[in-house]
Amino acid sequence: MSPTGHTDAGTAGGAIPRLSMRGIGKAFPGVQALRNVSFNVARGEVHALIGENGAGKSSLLKVLSGVYRADAGDIRVDGKLVDAASPKAARMQGIALIHQELQQVPHLDVAQNMFLGMPLTHGGVFTDKTQMRARASTALASLDPSIDVTAPIRTLRVAQRQIVEIARALLSDARVIAMDEPTSSLTPREFERLTEVIATLAARGVGVIYVSHKLEEVYRVCTRATVLRDGALVGVVDLANTTEDMLVGMMVGRTIEARAHHGHAGTERVLEISGLGRGHAVRGVSFALHRGEVLGIAGLVGAGRTELVRLIAGVDRADSGTVSLHGRPIRSASPREAIGHGIALLPEERKRDGIVPLRSIVSNMALPAFQRWSRFGLVRTQALRQRVREMTERVGLRPPDIDRPIRLFSGGNQQKAILGRWLMADAGILMFDEPTRGIDVGAKADIYRLIEDLVQQGKSVIVVSSELPEIMRLSDRVLVMWRGEMAGILERADMNESAIMHLAVSGGRPQ
Amino acid sequence: MSGASDIAARSGRIRLKIGLRDMGTLLGLLLICVVFASLSDFFLTERNLVNILQQSSINACVAIGMTLVIISGGIDLSVGPTAALTAVVSASMIVGGYPVALAIVVALAIGMACGLGNGLLVAYGGLQPFIVTLGTLSLYRALALIYTGGNPILGVPSSFRVLFQTQVWIFPMPIVVVAVLGILAWVLLAKTPIGEYILAVGGNEEASRVSGVPIARTKISAYVISGGLAALGALILVARLGAAEPTLGNLWELEAIAASAIGGASLMGGKGSIVGTVLGAIVLGAMRNGLTLLNVQAFYQLLATGIIIIAAMLIDRLTRGRE
């Protein structure tokens, strides 16, 4: 592997870096997740890894920690080549990943969790609890001595469980510790505690990788940052002389693909949302959706975008706020009621929330409409099948075989079938959650075309998406969510990627 | 033009494929018949074949309801006690001089009420169907025992028994009733919204909910039908025996689950066949009948039943390929 042609991420003082990844490449069917990415972390350095959703951060971490096998490139720890063939192998060679969702066994105690998969034993038969607890205590002493190693892990708060994971990494003599969104469920005080722990790690010479969407945290914790975009390295910067705007620019700075946006938005307010909320996930969101409009909803993962559309669709129940349709307040206590009002959701998790895999296209598409297509309790099969055929033609289902179980279709065609379902049910408001996730390029263009057809016919559309180009291409306006709140709505004229990212990252608050 | 005919041919093939599983069950049944026919001259006589159908009719009746529940993603372990409760109540009414028609209506109402109890607990109580019906298995049995004080109700008059003893051509009434029921259940599953809902809810409950399927109503319907069919099974048995014991219906649930499974129902839900279930019940009936003709001890009959169930499931697994 030849070294990368990008900015050479050199190391302090020319010493051998703690971690060096060179020319990493990883492809999945249809997607190049990582392209010739190089990444270095010095001894005792806290290094940020940042980028938009889908930029390749997770893939890089997974390659590092042995979850994925890279197609190209090599990984070295202290100059020594690492063969990260499995998560366990990576761990044995000094690399530890602290997952966003902590991977612990709730009812086992702290010490047992720390030695999970590599227990200390007496002669290989009986577990040596005394020894495990003693060593667990020692490892925890410098991080958080208040944690009791005999307590079941489920009795600990998330922040403490995180520290247990870090201590576990130290037990296996980790020299590189990667933290994936470590603060996503921490309070500000717990975050302060974590920064102390990270400082302790750095003082010991551990190379720390800090992955986060929250740029203010990155500035607090890290000294340098590596920015990824579309699976490739954009650059490595010293945070001391880089502004947040410069970082955001590096994160989103792609050229916007040529496109023609034809607005069809009218002035008639079809749907009005006022003060809608549910717990902490969605708080006090208000907006109006017009006839023939595509409203984009942008924001970071976990900002409450999916939760918002689920509330409107009646899938989850709101605990505050009102939804009005054509000026009249409506109640949607269930999806069935929302569908009765013509409000439909095309969920992100198609397998889980969208399709009945064993059933045919006919059964899946007609699911909300069976009662309408029945007479004297019996389904009017011939007429129904005729209608399903028309709809599959309209959405361009391939193959056009309406009796084939839906699980045998590709993701893009499943999405088309679900769209056909709502066309049959005659929904007036369609909410797409990540409409093109996991869908190949051709079908993606079809979905965009279908969305444009819908608004041309006067239907109203909401598109939740993590892909800014998608939002930019489709939306007449874009609503940006930030930590469960509405950070703002941008009109098409003010819509650009850095404006959206700025709202998504900071909530529009002054820095 | 050619495109359209191509689609028609493909859809025709798919429909045939759906019937393939039922063909498999039928093949198994024929195989069992061939084996017993070669071992016993009496097995293939008209009288014995009608006998097999009659002996299978109660299980088929209960199993049709069970299949609907299983397809919806549930299970009904309480069918036996439901049958017992309806049997003792209706038998005591008939013996006590109430009109037979009223007793039948009350029996079916009690059965459906038992099913409604199960359905409400599953749909609104947030409990696992297995646990709910395990609980009502004891509960309904206890009600039957308390109602009778543990004693059988004897001397059911022939005015009631004759209802199920008449014949249509060569077929005794229970066979005819269950055949009609089978057709109705098939229509329900294949041709009505509620049938589509049962298949959808069992196949993916969350997707069905998001698509506006009334989840609670769908599940409750399946249990109510199951309870009603258990009651009908009880009536057939009371007519045959002329008595009702509070302990009747023991292990009916397992027989019914076995028939459903042999017939192709998946205990994961979302999949199953009425035709298959009826054939499955006949498979079990034919096994028992054949082994009895050959004077095989009851212990070995049980052994054979177990082997049949496991063999059927293995063949199902191996021929289905990966899914």
Side-chain angles (χ1 to χ4, degrees):
Chain A
M1 275 298 122
S2 67
T4 155
H6 291 281
T7 323
D8 183 34
T11 58
I16 298 171
R18 201 41 126 177
L19 170 74
S20 126
M21 300 177 82
R22 282 197 316 170
I24 303 291
K26 175 74 190 169
F28 295 103
V31 194
Q32 185 74 33
L34 293 172
R35 221 173 309 131
N36 193 20
V37 172
S38 293
F39 181 56
N40 289 317
V41 181
R43 211 171 288 257
E45 182 195 14
V46 185
H47 194 121
L49 182 60
I50 56 180
E52 286 184 277
N53 300 329
K57 295 167 300 184
S58 292
S59 299
L60 191 66
L61 287 190
K62 282 180 175 161
V63 166
L64 176 65
S65 60
V67 177
Y68 294 159
R69 192 104 215 219
D71 304 331
D74 57 36
I75 306 173
R76 286 168 196 272
V77 172
D78 293 333
K80 196 166 150 260
L81 203 59
V82 166
D83 180 22
S86 70
K88 189 163 181 174
R91 186 167 275 265
M92 302 298 283
Q93 292 168 85
I95 297 166
L97 173 61
I98 313 294
H99 292 265
Q100 188 175 0
E101 302 289 335
L102 297 174
Q103 308 200 323
Q104 293 167 329
V105 185
H107 62 270
L108 294 183
D109 69 30
V110 168
Q112 282 170 313
N113 268 289
M114 283 173 65
F115 284 93
L116 210 59
M118 45 174 191
L120 300 178
T121 56
H122 295 294
V125 184
F126 302 106
T127 53
D128 185 348
K129 271 201 171 166
T130 328
Q131 177 77 3
M132 288 199 288
R133 284 176 177 171
R135 287 188 49 189
S137 288
T138 317
L140 276 168
S142 60
L143 302 179
D144 187 349
S146 74
I147 295 174
D148 174 8
V149 293
T150 64
I153 208 86
R154 65 181 144 77
T155 63
L156 272 57
R157 282 174 293 112
V158 176
Q160 292 177 309
R161 293 176 49 184
Q162 208 167 42
I163 289 172
V164 169
E165 273 299 283
I166 295 169
R168 169 177 152 88
L170 292 179
L171 269 182
S172 61
D173 198 24
R175 282 164 289 169
V176 176
I177 297 181
M179 301 183 187
D180 189 5
E181 296 284 352
T183 60
S184 52
S185 41
L186 299 192
T187 64
R189 251 204 30 228
E190 289 169 337
F191 169 67
E192 295 302 325
R193 184 85 199 85
L194 181 69
T195 58
E196 288 166 30
V197 169
I198 290 174
T200 312
L201 293 176
R204 287 188 184 194
V206 174
V208 179
I209 302 167
Y210 192 91
V211 179
S212 179
H213 277 304
K214 302 177 187 167
L215 294 185
E216 72 266 30
E217 281 178 11
V218 166
Y219 276 96
R220 275 284 313 276
V221 178
C222 309
T223 48
R224 290 195 301 162
T226 292
V227 184
L228 298 183
R229 189 205 310 147
D230 295 337
L233 180 69
V234 179
V236 181
V237 296
D238 245 324
L239 288 169
N241 43 36
T242 310
T243 66
E244 197 171 309
D245 279 347
M246 286 161 73
L247 269 191
V248 170
M250 290 174 76
M251 285 161 71
V252 303
R254 68 173 87 66
T255 52
I256 298 160
E257 60 185 275
R259 70 192 150 58
H261 176 87
H262 302 291
H264 297 285
T267 49
E268 181 194 340
R269 296 180 155 213
V270 174
L271 186 74
E272 273 177 276
I273 307 292
S274 168
L276 200 65
R278 177 186 165 88
H280 287 289
V282 178
R283 294 189 305 251
V285 173
S286 304
F287 66 90
L289 180 68
H290 299 96
R291 183 181 155 84
E293 178 183 35
V294 180
L295 176 70
I297 298 186
L300 302 175
V301 168
R305 301 167 302 171
T306 295
E307 291 77 1
L308 175 61
V309 289
R310 282 172 67 95
L311 290 183
I312 300 170
V315 177
D316 297 323
R317 281 206 204 189
D319 35 50
S320 61
T322 56
V323 176
S324 307
L325 193 66
H326 298 294
R328 277 203 319 274
I330 57 165
R331 209 180 62 100
S332 297
S334 68
R336 193 173 171 75
E337 288 179 37
I339 292 161
H341 295 301
I343 302 173
L345 174 68
L346 290 89
E348 173 182 3
E349 301 273 345
R350 279 185 300 278
K351 266 217 170 73
R352 200 189 62 199
D353 305 331
I355 64 167
V356 184
L358 289 173
R359 305 291 289 155
S360 67
I361 289 289
V362 176
S363 292
N364 271 282
M365 274 179 52
L367 204 48
F370 270 117
Q371 261 158 349
R372 275 213 340 230
W373 287 90
S374 306
R375 197 166 40 195
F376 312 124
L378 293 182
V379 177
R380 290 155 52 215
T381 313
Q382 283 314 314
L384 176 71
R385 291 173 63 82
Q386 186 52 42
R387 182 82 175 136
V388 169
R389 264 190 218 106
E390 287 166 22
M391 284 302 153
T392 52
E393 235 167 77
R394 190 167 149 198
V395 299
L397 187 80
R398 292 285 172 277
D401 179 354
I402 61 172
D403 290 301
R404 199 170 185 232
I406 196 168
R407 69 188 168 85
L408 300 178
F409 286 83
S410 70
N413 280 295
Q414 290 178 0
Q415 183 73 296
K416 287 178 187 173
I418 297 175
L419 178 55
R421 168 194 292 170
W422 297 122
L423 295 179
M424 279 190 67
D426 213 16
I429 296 170
L430 293 103
M431 300 188 290
F432 293 79
D433 192 359
E434 300 289 358
T436 60
R437 176 150 296 174
I439 286 177
D440 58 86
V441 183
K444 207 166 174 168
D446 288 350
I447 302 275
Y448 291 163
R449 180 182 53 77
L450 287 164
I451 289 177
E452 278 154 10
D453 283 356
L454 291 174
V455 289
Q456 199 165 5
Q457 291 158 22
K459 294 180 188 291
S460 304
V461 171
I462 292 179
V463 173
V464 171
S465 178
S466 295
E467 291 184 43
L468 286 182
E470 183 164 291
I471 292 270
M472 299 284 299
R473 156 151 193 193
L474 293 169
S475 316
D476 296 305
R477 289 183 303 155
V478 60
L479 185 162
V480 184
M481 293 289 290
W482 177 77
R483 299 190 188 173
E485 293 170 21
M486 199 174 94
I489 294 191
L490 297 171
E491 298 292 331
R492 178 130 197 110
D494 311 324
M495 208 189 286
N496 60 61
E497 299 203 5
S498 39
I500 296 173
M501 268 316 272
H502 180 69
L503 284 175
V505 170
S506 69
R509 269 76 172 158
Q511 293 300 305
Chain B
M1 288 294 260
S2 73
S5 69
D6 182 47
I7 293 162
R10 284 171 129 252
S11 65
R13 199 197 61 209
I14 298 277
R15 262 185 234 140
L16 209 123
K17 220 166 155 186
I18 294 165
L20 214 59
R21 182 59 178 75
D22 294 339
M23 293 300 288
T25 315
L26 185 62
L27 209 68
L29 177 60
L30 292 178
L31 196 70
I32 288 169
C33 290
V34 167
V35 170
F36 283 122
S38 69
L39 294 173
S40 159
D41 292 337
F42 182 66
F43 187 84
L44 270 191
T45 58
E46 181 188 299
R47 209 175 107 205
N48 192 53
L49 292 180
V50 170
N51 248 340
I52 291 174
L53 293 182
Q54 176 146 23
Q55 284 159 3
S56 311
S57 60
I58 291 178
N59 186 25
C61 178
V62 177
I64 287 170
M66 182 69 76
T67 299
L68 293 176
V69 172
I70 288 176
I71 294 174
S72 81
I75 191 104
D76 187 354
L77 301 179
S78 72
V79 286
T82 299
L85 184 60
T86 57
V88 293
V89 173
S90 56
S92 68
M93 282 178 73
I94 295 166
V95 171
Y98 286 95
V100 167
L102 178 67
I104 290 175
V105 170
V106 168
L108 293 177
I110 291 175
M112 288 161 80
C114 288
L116 181 67
N118 290 331
L120 288 173
L121 285 167
V122 169
Y124 295 113
L127 300 175
Q128 295 277 359
F130 190 97
I131 298 302
V132 166
T133 57
L134 188 63
T136 55
L137 166 88
S138 297
L139 204 143
Y140 298 157
R141 177 73 71 197
L143 292 180
L145 287 163
I146 293 165
Y147 180 79
T148 59
N151 301 313
I153 290 161
L154 304 171
V156 174
S158 57
S159 60
F160 171 72
R161 301 187 62 184
V162 76
L163 279 180
F164 288 101
Q165 280 165 346
T166 50
Q167 287 203 347
V168 177
W169 188 39
I170 55 166
F171 296 115
M173 193 52 90
I175 298 176
V176 177
V177 168
V178 173
V180 170
L181 272 174
I183 293 168
L184 288 179
W186 182 84
V187 169
L188 177 89
L189 204 55
K191 303 280 176 198
T192 69
I194 192 77
E196 288 285 347
Y197 293 164
I198 288 174
L199 283 154
V201 168
N204 185 347
E205 184 170 335
E206 188 55 21
S208 303
R209 193 172 78 88
V210 173
S211 304
V213 172
I215 305 290
R217 202 201 307 161
T218 301
K219 287 184 179 175
I220 291 169
S221 308
Y223 286 97
V224 167
I225 294 170
S226 176
L229 292 183
L232 187 65
L235 291 174
I236 295 174
L237 188 66
V238 170
R240 186 184 298 164
L241 300 176
E245 283 203 60
T247 54
L248 75 74
N250 195 29
L251 298 187
W252 274 18
E253 67 283 355
L254 298 188
E255 291 258 323
I257 294 168
S260 303
I262 291 172
S266 158
L267 290 178
M268 306 288 290
K271 194 165 151 257
S273 153
I274 298 296
V275 175
T277 294
V278 171
L279 289 172
I282 299 173
V283 163
L284 291 171
M287 278 289 291
R288 192 156 306 153
N289 172 284
L291 292 170
T292 308
L293 286 183
L294 297 175
N295 288 320
V296 175
Q297 272 189 322
F299 307 146
Y300 290 96
Q301 293 189 17
L302 196 63
L303 188 79
T305 306
I307 291 171
I308 281 286
I309 292 170
I310 292 174
M313 293 303 98
L314 282 176
I315 293 169
D316 188 41
R317 184 86 209 132
L318 294 174
T319 52
R320 192 151 28 93
R322 60 182 192 88
E323 225 167 61

Tab-separated table of all heavy atoms in Angstrom, chain A residues 61-70 75 82-97 99 103 117 168:
chain	number	residue	atom	x	y	z
A	61	LEU	N	-14.369	2.905	12.239
A	61	LEU	CA	-14.259	2.328	13.582
A	61	LEU	C	-14.444	0.817	13.538
A	61	LEU	O	-13.780	0.076	14.252
A	61	LEU	CB	-15.312	2.928	14.519
A	61	LEU	CG	-15.110	4.355	14.998
A	61	LEU	CD1	-16.112	4.688	16.089
A	61	LEU	CD2	-13.701	4.558	15.514
A	62	LYS	N	-15.371	0.372	12.689
A	62	LYS	CA	-15.636	-1.064	12.613
A	62	LYS	C	-14.454	-1.805	12.006
A	62	LYS	O	-14.154	-2.929	12.397
A	62	LYS	CB	-16.918	-1.333	11.826
A	62	LYS	CG	-18.140	-1.060	12.675
A	62	LYS	CD	-19.439	-1.303	11.941
A	62	LYS	CE	-20.602	-1.125	12.909
A	62	LYS	NZ	-21.866	-0.908	12.219
A	63	VAL	N	-13.776	-1.175	11.046
A	63	VAL	CA	-12.568	-1.786	10.488
A	63	VAL	C	-11.495	-1.844	11.573
A	63	VAL	O	-10.830	-2.861	11.780
A	63	VAL	CB	-12.059	-0.978	9.272
A	63	VAL	CG1	-10.642	-1.387	8.911
A	63	VAL	CG2	-12.984	-1.173	8.080
A	64	LEU	N	-11.371	-0.742	12.312
A	64	LEU	CA	-10.351	-0.669	13.356
A	64	LEU	C	-10.565	-1.735	14.421
A	64	LEU	O	-9.633	-2.385	14.874
A	64	LEU	CB	-10.379	0.728	13.995
A	64	LEU	CG	-9.437	0.957	15.179
A	64	LEU	CD1	-7.990	0.861	14.725
A	64	LEU	CD2	-9.698	2.307	15.826
A	65	SER	N	-11.850	-1.936	14.800
A	65	SER	CA	-12.119	-2.831	15.927
A	65	SER	C	-12.410	-4.261	15.485
A	65	SER	O	-12.830	-5.081	16.290
A	65	SER	CB	-13.296	-2.291	16.739
A	65	SER	OG	-14.442	-2.216	15.925
A	66	GLY	N	-12.182	-4.554	14.199
A	66	GLY	CA	-12.279	-5.943	13.762
A	66	GLY	C	-13.674	-6.417	13.442
A	66	GLY	O	-13.886	-7.607	13.229
A	67	VAL	N	-14.663	-5.515	13.395
A	67	VAL	CA	-16.016	-5.921	13.026
A	67	VAL	C	-16.083	-6.138	11.510
A	67	VAL	O	-16.644	-7.115	11.030
A	67	VAL	CB	-17.058	-4.871	13.467
A	67	VAL	CG1	-18.448	-5.282	13.015
A	67	VAL	CG2	-17.021	-4.695	14.976
A	68	TYR	N	-15.480	-5.200	10.766
A	68	TYR	CA	-15.345	-5.369	9.313
A	68	TYR	C	-13.888	-5.669	8.998
A	68	TYR	O	-12.988	-5.242	9.697
A	68	TYR	CB	-15.697	-4.085	8.554
A	68	TYR	CG	-17.126	-3.633	8.638
A	68	TYR	CD1	-17.444	-2.296	8.380
A	68	TYR	CD2	-18.152	-4.515	8.935
A	68	TYR	CE1	-18.750	-1.851	8.439
A	68	TYR	CE2	-19.464	-4.066	9.000
A	68	TYR	CZ	-19.761	-2.744	8.753
A	68	TYR	OH	-21.050	-2.303	8.811
A	69	ARG	N	-13.705	-6.353	7.897
A	69	ARG	CA	-12.373	-6.595	7.374
A	69	ARG	C	-12.163	-5.595	6.231
A	69	ARG	O	-12.960	-5.547	5.307
A	69	ARG	CB	-12.351	-8.033	6.825
A	69	ARG	CG	-11.000	-8.537	6.501
A	69	ARG	CD	-10.573	-9.494	7.602
A	69	ARG	NE	-9.152	-9.359	7.798
A	69	ARG	CZ	-8.366	-10.393	8.047
A	69	ARG	NH1	-8.851	-11.603	8.153
A	69	ARG	NH2	-7.075	-10.201	8.210
A	70	ALA	N	-11.095	-4.804	6.284
A	70	ALA	CA	-10.831	-3.836	5.214
A	70	ALA	C	-10.454	-4.561	3.931
A	70	ALA	O	-9.860	-5.632	3.966
A	70	ALA	CB	-9.724	-2.886	5.637
A	75	ILE	N	-3.221	-1.461	9.329
A	75	ILE	CA	-3.396	-0.827	10.638
A	75	ILE	C	-2.172	-1.169	11.471
A	75	ILE	O	-1.755	-2.330	11.525
A	75	ILE	CB	-4.646	-1.389	11.350
A	75	ILE	CG1	-5.887	-1.269	10.460
A	75	ILE	CG2	-4.863	-0.691	12.692
A	75	ILE	CD1	-7.116	-1.955	11.027
A	82	VAL	N	-1.139	-4.767	12.784
A	82	VAL	CA	-2.222	-5.404	13.529
A	82	VAL	C	-3.084	-6.188	12.564
A	82	VAL	O	-3.410	-5.697	11.481
A	82	VAL	CB	-3.083	-4.323	14.236
A	82	VAL	CG1	-4.396	-4.911	14.729
A	82	VAL	CG2	-2.315	-3.686	15.365
A	83	ASP	N	-3.434	-7.394	12.957
A	83	ASP	CA	-4.365	-8.173	12.136
A	83	ASP	C	-5.704	-8.218	12.867
A	83	ASP	O	-5.920	-9.079	13.716
A	83	ASP	CB	-3.817	-9.582	11.912
A	83	ASP	CG	-4.772	-10.410	11.072
A	83	ASP	OD1	-5.591	-9.808	10.338
A	83	ASP	OD2	-4.714	-11.645	11.154
A	84	ALA	N	-6.571	-7.249	12.543
A	84	ALA	CA	-7.857	-7.160	13.242
A	84	ALA	C	-8.875	-8.049	12.551
A	84	ALA	O	-9.787	-7.591	11.889
A	84	ALA	CB	-8.335	-5.708	13.286
A	85	ALA	N	-8.699	-9.363	12.731
A	85	ALA	CA	-9.565	-10.303	12.028
A	85	ALA	C	-10.919	-10.431	12.704
A	85	ALA	O	-11.898	-10.837	12.080
A	85	ALA	CB	-8.877	-11.668	11.952
A	86	SER	N	-10.989	-10.099	13.981
A	86	SER	CA	-12.246	-10.188	14.721
A	86	SER	C	-12.166	-9.186	15.857
A	86	SER	O	-11.082	-8.719	16.195
A	86	SER	CB	-12.414	-11.596	15.301
A	86	SER	OG	-11.475	-11.800	16.329
A	87	PRO	N	-13.330	-8.837	16.444
A	87	PRO	CA	-13.293	-7.891	17.567
A	87	PRO	C	-12.363	-8.380	18.674
A	87	PRO	O	-11.630	-7.602	19.272
A	87	PRO	CB	-14.744	-7.856	18.038
A	87	PRO	CG	-15.537	-8.184	16.831
A	87	PRO	CD	-14.704	-9.160	16.054
A	88	LYS	N	-12.364	-9.691	18.910
A	88	LYS	CA	-11.516	-10.222	19.976
A	88	LYS	C	-10.040	-10.060	19.611
A	88	LYS	O	-9.221	-9.655	20.450
A	88	LYS	CB	-11.853	-11.694	20.225
A	88	LYS	CG	-11.165	-12.217	21.469
A	88	LYS	CD	-11.775	-13.512	21.973
A	88	LYS	CE	-11.033	-13.947	23.226
A	88	LYS	NZ	-11.628	-15.114	23.867
A	89	ALA	N	-9.706	-10.352	18.343
A	89	ALA	CA	-8.315	-10.214	17.907
A	89	ALA	C	-7.846	-8.768	18.049
A	89	ALA	O	-6.730	-8.500	18.502
A	89	ALA	CB	-8.173	-10.681	16.461
A	90	ALA	N	-8.719	-7.819	17.655
A	90	ALA	CA	-8.350	-6.409	17.756
A	90	ALA	C	-8.091	-6.029	19.214
A	90	ALA	O	-7.126	-5.341	19.538
A	90	ALA	CB	-9.465	-5.534	17.178
A	91	ARG	N	-8.942	-6.531	20.071
A	91	ARG	CA	-8.815	-6.228	21.499
A	91	ARG	C	-7.502	-6.782	22.053
A	91	ARG	O	-6.812	-6.108	22.825
A	91	ARG	CB	-10.009	-6.850	22.228
A	91	ARG	CG	-10.122	-6.509	23.685
A	91	ARG	CD	-11.492	-6.911	24.217
A	91	ARG	NE	-12.483	-5.884	23.978
A	91	ARG	CZ	-12.816	-4.953	24.881
A	91	ARG	NH1	-12.232	-4.950	26.062
A	91	ARG	NH2	-13.711	-4.043	24.609
A	92	MET	N	-7.159	-8.004	21.644
A	92	MET	CA	-5.921	-8.622	22.121
A	92	MET	C	-4.709	-7.822	21.673
A	92	MET	O	-3.648	-7.892	22.278
A	92	MET	CB	-5.789	-10.063	21.586
A	92	MET	CG	-6.911	-11.004	21.954
A	92	MET	SD	-7.065	-11.249	23.724
A	92	MET	CE	-5.699	-12.386	23.985
A	93	GLN	N	-4.881	-7.085	20.549
A	93	GLN	CA	-3.730	-6.345	20.026
A	93	GLN	C	-3.774	-4.873	20.427
A	93	GLN	O	-3.116	-4.041	19.819
A	93	GLN	CB	-3.663	-6.517	18.506
A	93	GLN	CG	-3.327	-7.962	18.142
A	93	GLN	CD	-3.524	-8.254	16.667
A	93	GLN	OE1	-2.634	-8.009	15.864
A	93	GLN	NE2	-4.685	-8.754	16.313
A	94	GLY	N	-4.572	-4.565	21.447
A	94	GLY	CA	-4.496	-3.252	22.053
A	94	GLY	C	-5.506	-2.231	21.565
A	94	GLY	O	-5.386	-1.047	21.840
A	95	ILE	N	-6.534	-2.672	20.816
A	95	ILE	CA	-7.525	-1.731	20.296
A	95	ILE	C	-8.879	-2.004	20.952
A	95	ILE	O	-9.362	-3.138	20.927
A	95	ILE	CB	-7.674	-1.878	18.764
A	95	ILE	CG1	-6.351	-1.518	18.090
A	95	ILE	CG2	-8.811	-1.008	18.246
A	95	ILE	CD1	-6.279	-1.933	16.645
A	96	ALA	N	-9.465	-1.004	21.566
A	96	ALA	CA	-10.770	-1.191	22.200
A	96	ALA	C	-11.752	-0.160	21.675
A	96	ALA	O	-11.406	0.999	21.470
A	96	ALA	CB	-10.650	-1.076	23.714
A	97	LEU	N	-12.996	-0.615	21.442
A	97	LEU	CA	-14.054	0.285	20.973
A	97	LEU	C	-15.133	0.362	22.042
A	97	LEU	O	-15.625	-0.664	22.520
A	97	LEU	CB	-14.641	-0.264	19.660
A	97	LEU	CG	-15.868	0.462	19.104
A	97	LEU	CD1	-15.561	1.913	18.775
A	97	LEU	CD2	-16.388	-0.258	17.864
A	99	HIS	N	-18.719	1.173	22.448
A	99	HIS	CA	-19.871	1.373	21.569
A	99	HIS	C	-20.813	2.420	22.124
A	99	HIS	O	-20.881	2.634	23.328
A	99	HIS	CB	-20.650	0.061	21.419
A	99	HIS	CG	-19.908	-0.984	20.679
A	99	HIS	ND1	-20.060	-1.190	19.338
A	99	HIS	CD2	-19.004	-1.880	21.096
A	99	HIS	CE1	-19.281	-2.180	18.953
A	99	HIS	NE2	-18.622	-2.627	20.008
A	103	GLN	N	-22.330	-2.622	25.275
A	103	GLN	CA	-22.603	-4.037	25.093
A	103	GLN	C	-22.248	-4.769	26.380
A	103	GLN	O	-21.138	-5.252	26.545
A	103	GLN	CB	-21.823	-4.551	23.900
A	103	GLN	CG	-22.114	-3.652	22.698
A	103	GLN	CD	-21.812	-4.289	21.378
A	103	GLN	OE1	-20.854	-5.029	21.245
A	103	GLN	NE2	-22.637	-4.002	20.388
A	117	GLY	N	-16.084	-12.918	28.480
A	117	GLY	CA	-15.403	-13.554	27.353
A	117	GLY	C	-13.959	-13.881	27.604
A	117	GLY	O	-13.297	-14.515	26.773
A	168	ARG	N	-12.585	-1.736	31.435
A	168	ARG	CA	-12.441	-3.052	30.807
A	168	ARG	C	-11.400	-2.996	29.700
A	168	ARG	O	-10.586	-3.898	29.534
A	168	ARG	CB	-13.801	-3.487	30.250
A	168	ARG	CG	-13.795	-4.688	29.337
A	168	ARG	CD	-15.243	-5.007	28.939
A	168	ARG	NE	-15.348	-5.664	27.650
A	168	ARG	CZ	-15.278	-6.985	27.493
A	168	ARG	NH1	-15.106	-7.777	28.517
A	168	ARG	NH2	-15.387	-7.508	26.288
